[in-house]
Amino acid sequence: MNYNKIFILFIVISFLTGCKRNEHLREVVWFNTPAKYFEEAFPLGNGFIGMMVKGGVSSEDLIINESSLWTGGPVNANMNPEAWKNLKAVRKALFSENYKLAQEIVKKMQGKYSESYAPLGNLKLSFNQSDSVTKYNRELDLSTGIATVDYSSDNKKYHREFFVSNPDRVAVIMLKGESSGSLNFILSSNSLLKFKTNVRNNDLIMDGLAPIHSEPSYNSNIQDPVIYDSTGKGMRFRMIARVVKTDGKTFSDSAGLHVEKASEAVIILSIATSFNGFDKDPGLEGKDEKKIASDFIEKASVLSYNELKRNHIKDFSNLFNRVSFSINNSVAPDLPIYKRLINYKDSVSDPALEALYFQFGRYLLISSSRQGGVPANLQGIWNPYIRPPWSSNYTANINSEMNYWPAEVTNLSETHIPLLQHIGNLSKTGEITAHNYFNCGGWCCSHNTDIWAMTNPVGNFGNGDPVWANWSMAEAWYSLHLYEHFAFTCDTLWLKNYAWPLMKGAARFCLDLLVTDPKGYLVTAPSTSPENKFKMSDGFVGSTLYGGTADLALIKGLFIKVLYISDILKTDSVFAGEIKTAMKKLYPYQVGKKGNLQEWYWDWDDADPQHRHISHLIGLYPDNQISPLLTPELATAAKRSLELRGDGGTGWSKAWKINTWARLLDGNHAYKMLRAHLNYVSPSPDTRYSGGGTYPNLFDAHPPFQIDGNFGGTAGIAEMLLQSQNGEIHLLPALPDIWKEGYIKGLRARGGFTVDQSWKNGKLTSATIYPDFNGETRIRYLEKTIRITTVSGKPVRIVPTMFK
Ligand code: FUC
């Protein structure tokens, strides 16, 4: 092939892939102003380094994070070793219906709070330029993970590009001025943590130390909430910003690293922390962060800007482009994103915004959770606060699980790995917690965990409200993630060697925890229903009970999966027998007087009928115990519960409801929740705490910012369009009337399938199933099902006439 032919081929390929995709789908978020607030900035990340781009003209203030930079050190799981001794008294109080007493005793079964995700600092580029510019545009391309800033000043054009590369493990900044000498800036850095900065040649080096403890921000009565250690403990970090290329002059002084009279500059940024695993002291046994940061930067420095960019796009787009989604052929209006959100709130139709929002969740997952790293926390990896909301930890009674709901179904299975690895760590500390707090075998995990795999019930040894502090069912919930990873990938080897022992350990804990109630059923006692309270007929409001539905749903879900796996792996039949016996005695779901699925053992009222948590519906979503097709009575009761709860709630609560309404096959109600979820929330301090929704940069408003709602929203949209939890691939299960036509390509179904679907006039036009394996499977569309035989790698085309 001669050169010309190769060039033409290249043009055709890029047209068919990157270019065409963007032109049609416009997976781009843009503003015509720099960001004033964090919730207007663009998040970039490679699962390790996080960078928020505000695009300021006179000063580009980049907010920098590193995902392993946390306060604290390895957890001492033995801080309340005799907590379990209270179990007998709590159970006695509960079974004699003395809930007030039980509530008091249970506080003795609490431990320390988790540690906190720490903000690394800011990298600042101060330009000698005024803020009054023309033609300003700040843009984030979701399909490439590249942010750009463009403007004109004194009739000269300026251009900046930013990305954070996973393959080269550095952040990259490229600056251009139209005419020579027009680019003049000083590079400097600062941090809210302890730090010092040095400038050496073309390197700006910041070394710092994270606190040994940071108290949760909701614990306001603390004199010294942020504590540093002076004996060498605590996490260290190093950040190196290097000017690798410029045609200008560089020099340093106390203000920082100067670049003068340039027309171009490329800066790369490497970061490392001394984090050396959950069980090693990051100070005394930490990794050599200085060497790691240097190694990254030395390796990246030999690559040209274009090479770095190519490596990054290849990696990022490979993941992102696996799914494409278009609704009603809609093209994005030519408006900045905040304006689109404001219009949307005023009921303007913008299907392209809904598709963009779906893809933004995928974008965030690729950017915040990558193999070899730690799981995405409450703010993903983007946090500017030294005491962030809820310590920006892993909250396990919904939030950290929700972060990973889109991972498998939206074809980003590898982004799930950090959470799945973390579960292995939890099983180690969780074994001690199971023993100390519950006198049980196996392992458990409570309301919060952190990078140190903390598993104990929180509350600071008796100060926490049991309504959240004493929940310890995360081992079961996280185990469902192990199962789902297997269900989508069918990776039996991984299941056998890694997931199965962990799931068995969680099930062991649950078996040991269950106790016989006065009616003869097996229940959890004590139990709570995150984070709602019951109201008894005598007016007593409490949270500690026995046999809460959420606990039993999680245990039942785990037991069903354990039985299934024991069967397919042909292993542990004695253990499976024990589970089978227990399952027969589990207190079953109850339907209450209002026709609802009961949240409590008894048919009590809710203290807050519209509470944001809907944990008693875990069996509807994310688990698959309740379905309108298989368990219609329970599904009707679950629906009634959702109606009673209403359509309000925080960001993640609304996202959860998109998923549950989709599982009830009610696409119109799921869509109603999606509209509520996209409710514009202004980031300005006077309004930012008013109700869940979406900030201008598409970050989820809990409020404040919490990333779970983004991920839950993306998962919810996927759930409206494809389901596979009942042993069949259900095409377009909850398509709302308003999405008249469209396509979604690349979603994944359990059993190892990739699925493309298109529809017109609200009806399926065709679907293509790409099977990973040979076999047989059932496909459902509306009420009808068909069986197909699959051969690995051979697509099967499905058309509606096949469903007679
Ligand atoms: C749970 C929720 C809160 C918040 C916090 C991080 O406790 O009930 O709404 O999301 O986690």
Side-chain angles (χ1 to χ4, degrees):
M1 223 189 283
N2 66 25
Y3 175 77
N4 275 349
K5 278 193 187 147
I6 294 173
F7 183 71
I8 290 167
L9 189 70
F10 172 70
I11 298 287
V12 171
I13 290 171
S14 27
F15 181 73
L16 289 175
T17 53
C19 305
K20 178 146 184 259
R21 178 188 176 84
N22 263 338
E23 202 179 296
H24 169 58
L25 299 172
R26 301 217 21 195
E27 284 145 338
V28 160
V29 183
W30 64 272
F31 286 82
N32 50 8
T33 52
K36 189 166 163 200
Y37 301 107
F38 178 81
E39 297 84 357
E40 292 171 327
F42 291 143
L44 298 174
N46 61 357
F48 301 87
I49 300 175
M51 178 155 106
M52 294 290 289
V53 179
K54 291 182 168 172
V57 173
S58 60
S59 162
E60 177 70 79
D61 230 335
L62 298 160
I63 302 167
I64 309 291
N65 285 103
E66 209 285 342
S67 59
S68 65
L69 186 63
W70 283 63
T71 65
V75 62
N76 172 5
N78 276 314
M79 285 173 93
N80 192 355
E82 301 199 333
W84 64 272
K85 291 197 171 159
N86 297 290
L87 261 182
K88 208 169 159 196
V90 177
R91 286 177 172 162
K92 190 166 171 230
L94 283 171
F95 291 145
S96 53
E97 316 294 323
N98 190 343
Y99 298 98
K100 194 162 180 253
L101 178 63
Q103 180 102 347
E104 277 316 306
I105 307 172
V106 92
K107 289 188 184 164
K108 296 183 190 161
M109 299 174 68
Q110 295 178 355
K112 70 183 274 291
Y113 286 127
S114 80
E115 286 303 333
S116 178
Y117 184 45
L120 188 134
N122 288 40
L123 182 70
K124 193 168 171 154
L125 287 84
S126 313
F127 298 89
N128 68 341
Q129 224 166 27
S130 109
D131 279 317
S132 62
V133 292
T134 56
K135 297 184 192 150
Y136 184 92
N137 185 54
R138 180 165 59 98
E139 192 168 299
L140 172 65
D141 185 336
L142 303 187
S143 69
T144 59
I146 296 183
T148 51
V149 174
D150 287 276
Y151 56 87
S152 291
S153 174
D154 291 333
N155 282 326
K156 282 178 207 140
K157 288 187 192 148
Y158 291 84
H159 177 72
R160 302 177 194 164
E161 290 183 11
F162 307 83
F163 58 88
V164 186
S165 162
N166 182 278
D168 292 314
R169 287 291 291 270
V170 286
V172 183
I173 303 160
M174 195 274 284
L175 310 157
K176 257 190 179 151
E178 192 180 350
S179 59
S180 71
S182 60
L183 213 53
N184 297 279
F185 63 92
I186 308 169
L187 194 64
S188 62
S189 67
N190 57 51
S191 175
L192 294 172
L193 309 181
K194 283 198 169 164
F195 77 102
K196 57 178 192 301
T197 309
N198 280 306
V199 184
R200 243 185 265 146
N201 304 322
N202 279 3
D203 288 357
L204 177 88
I205 301 170
M206 179 160 81
D207 287 310
L209 178 71
I212 194 68
H213 178 64
S214 168
E215 198 66 13
S217 56
Y218 51 79
N219 201 8
S220 49
N221 302 328
I222 288 275
Q223 239 188 353
D224 295 313
V226 179
I227 304 167
Y228 285 89
D229 180 81
S230 51
T231 66
K233 288 185 176 173
M235 182 109 61
R236 301 181 301 269
F237 68 87
R238 168 165 280 200
M239 175 177 95
I240 309 172
R242 174 175 295 178
V243 179
V244 280
K245 189 184 168 201
T246 183
D247 54 355
K249 186 173 129 205
T250 58
F251 66 93
S252 62
D253 62 16
S254 58
L257 180 57
H258 295 242
V259 176
E260 278 186 357
K261 295 202 169 83
S263 66
E264 192 187 0
V266 178
I267 302 162
I268 56 179
L269 184 75
S270 82
I271 303 177
T273 70
S274 61
F275 180 60
N276 193 14
F278 77 101
D279 52 358
K280 299 241 169 44
D281 190 293
L284 305 176
E285 310 163 272
K287 283 194 175 163
D288 185 349
E289 75 286 356
K290 296 188 171 72
K291 180 173 180 328
I292 302 169
S294 302
D295 287 352
F296 286 145
I297 209 145
E298 292 308 334
K299 277 194 190 130
S301 298
V302 299
L303 301 175
S304 71
Y305 177 70
N306 283 338
E307 280 167 327
L308 288 165
K309 188 170 166 182
R310 229 179 359 250
N311 291 348
H312 164 70
I313 293 180
K314 188 168 171 236
D315 163 72
F316 200 93
S317 302
N318 266 348
L319 293 165
F320 186 86
N321 289 347
R322 288 177 187 169
V323 176
S324 49
F325 181 29
S326 164
I327 312 169
N328 294 354
N329 264 322
S330 143
V331 170
D334 198 20
L335 290 172
I337 188 69
Y338 71 92
K339 196 80 186 90
R340 289 173 75 183
L341 283 164
I342 290 169
N343 288 351
Y344 192 81
K345 192 172 185 168
D346 291 338
S347 301
V348 172
S349 151
D350 188 350
L353 176 65
E354 292 154 359
L356 185 76
Y357 184 79
F358 166 82
Q359 291 289 28
F360 187 65
R362 297 185 64 247
Y363 168 87
L364 290 176
L365 199 53
I366 301 168
S367 307
S368 62
S369 187
R370 298 297 290 267
Q371 268 165 291
V374 298
N377 61 53
L378 270 181
Q379 296 181 193
I381 51 173
W382 300 281
N383 163 48
Y385 308 110
I386 194 153
R387 291 176 76 197
W390 291 284
S391 305
S392 198
N393 64 17
Y394 304 119
T395 306
N397 69 7
I398 174 65
N399 319 85
S400 55
E401 290 89 350
M402 184 177 279
N403 278 6
Y404 288 90
W405 286 355
E408 301 292 340
V409 66
T410 77
N411 214 335
L412 296 172
S413 187
E414 50 277 79
T415 64
H416 209 169
I417 304 295
L419 178 71
L420 305 176
Q421 286 299 124
H422 188 65
I423 300 173
N425 302 342
L426 293 175
S427 74
K428 303 207 172 96
T429 51
E431 209 177 291
I432 305 172
T433 298
H435 178 264
N436 289 354
Y437 285 79
F438 300 99
N439 197 25
C440 289
W443 66 276
C444 72
C445 175
S446 308
H447 174 57
N448 294 126
T449 167
D450 54 20
I451 199 175
W452 312 113
M454 186 197 92
T455 48
N456 57 266
V458 290
N460 231 2
F461 306 95
N463 296 324
D465 186 337
V467 76
W468 44 267
N470 283 85
W471 182 85
S472 292
M473 298 307 301
E475 67 293 331
W477 204 334
Y478 284 140
S479 291
L480 296 182
H481 281 257
L482 296 167
Y483 174 76
E484 291 289 0
H485 183 67
F486 164 70
F488 278 90
T489 60
C490 303
D491 188 343
T492 317
L493 208 63
W494 174 85
L495 177 71
K496 187 169 175 242
N497 296 335
Y498 182 74
W500 176 237
L502 299 177
M503 292 179 76
K504 253 190 344 186
R508 176 77 266 157
F509 171 76
C510 293
L511 276 175
D512 291 359
L513 185 72
L514 288 167
V515 53
T516 305
D517 74 15
K519 286 205 236 170
Y521 288 108
L522 283 179
V523 293
T524 49
S527 167
T528 57
S529 187
E531 301 176 18
N532 202 3
K533 292 188 174 171
F534 53 82
K535 192 171 168 190
M536 293 168 65
S537 49
D538 63 2
F540 176 75
V541 170
S543 59
T544 308
L545 74 159
Y546 60 92
T549 305
D551 288 0
L552 297 175
L554 283 168
I555 292 176
K556 189 172 168 195
L558 172 61
F559 282 2
I560 292 172
K561 271 84 188 167
V562 163
L563 288 181
Y564 175 66
I565 296 171
S566 138
D567 198 39
I568 54 172
L569 292 182
K570 308 231 169 319
T571 183
D572 298 277
S573 57
V574 175
F575 185 62
E578 216 184 316
I579 300 259
K580 261 187 218 151
T581 311
M583 271 191 73
K584 285 191 201 129
K585 291 198 206 150
L586 270 188
Y587 186 58
Y589 283 118
Q590 305 288 312
V591 176
K593 54 183 180 288
K594 294 176 184 149
N596 56 311
L597 193 82
Q598 249 172 245
E599 181 163 359
W600 319 105
Y601 187 96
W602 302 108
D603 196 3
W604 290 323
D605 286 335
D606 299 327
D608 174 4
Q610 287 170 7
H611 197 271
R612 61 192 182 284
H613 284 263
I614 50 170
S615 319
H616 51 315
L617 304 184
I618 281 169
L620 175 64
Y621 187 91
D623 202 26
N624 64 341
Q625 300 159 41
I626 301 174
S627 132
L629 300 168
L630 302 177
T631 59
E633 274 134 46
L634 288 179
T636 305
K639 182 173 176 203
R640 187 75 197 117
S641 288
L642 276 176
E643 287 165 354
L644 293 167
R645 273 298 210 262
D647 295 338
T650 52
W652 59 256
S653 171
K654 287 178 177 149
W656 198 348
K657 290 168 190 164
I658 303 173
N659 288 278
T660 47
W661 282 107
R663 281 279 171 97
L664 289 171
L665 308 180
D666 188 338
N668 288 336
H669 207 125
Y671 180 76
K672 190 176 173 206
M673 291 312 313
L674 173 62
R675 281 206 82 98
H677 192 46
L678 281 168
N679 174 49
Y680 175 77
V681 179
S682 152
S684 75
D686 46 333
T687 52
R688 63 193 298 193
Y689 290 103
S690 61
T694 299
Y695 287 120
N697 65 353
L698 293 182
F699 264 171
D700 173 61
H702 176 282
F705 162 52
Q706 212 170 279
I707 207 162
D708 41 20
N710 284 102
F711 295 131
T714 292
I717 294 170
E719 213 57 35
M720 290 162 78
L721 298 169
L722 186 73
Q723 293 180 23
S724 60
Q725 70 281 4
N726 293 333
E728 58 185 24
I729 299 176
H730 192 163
L731 303 174
L732 301 180
L735 187 68
D737 294 342
I738 200 152
W739 290 352
K740 295 228 166 332
E741 62 181 293
Y743 63 82
I744 183 141
K745 295 179 183 168
L747 290 184
R748 294 279 295 170
R750 291 169 187 83
F753 304 96
T754 305
V755 182
D756 292 354
Q757 305 173 89
S758 16
W759 65 94
K760 228 178 191 147
N761 299 323
K763 302 253 172 329
L764 179 79
T765 47
S766 75
T768 307
I769 317 275
Y770 302 85
D772 293 349
F773 307 100
N774 299 346
E776 265 215 0
T777 194
R778 199 167 67 226
I779 316 280
R780 173 181 292 276
Y781 178 56
L782 303 171
E783 288 80 33
K784 302 273 171 54
T785 60
I786 52 169
R787 291 200 80 83
I788 59 164
T789 306
T790 59
V791 177
S792 158
K794 247 185 133 186
V796 183
R797 193 174 142 80
I798 310 283
V799 288
T801 49
M802 292 161 84
F803 299 90
K804 299 248 173 60

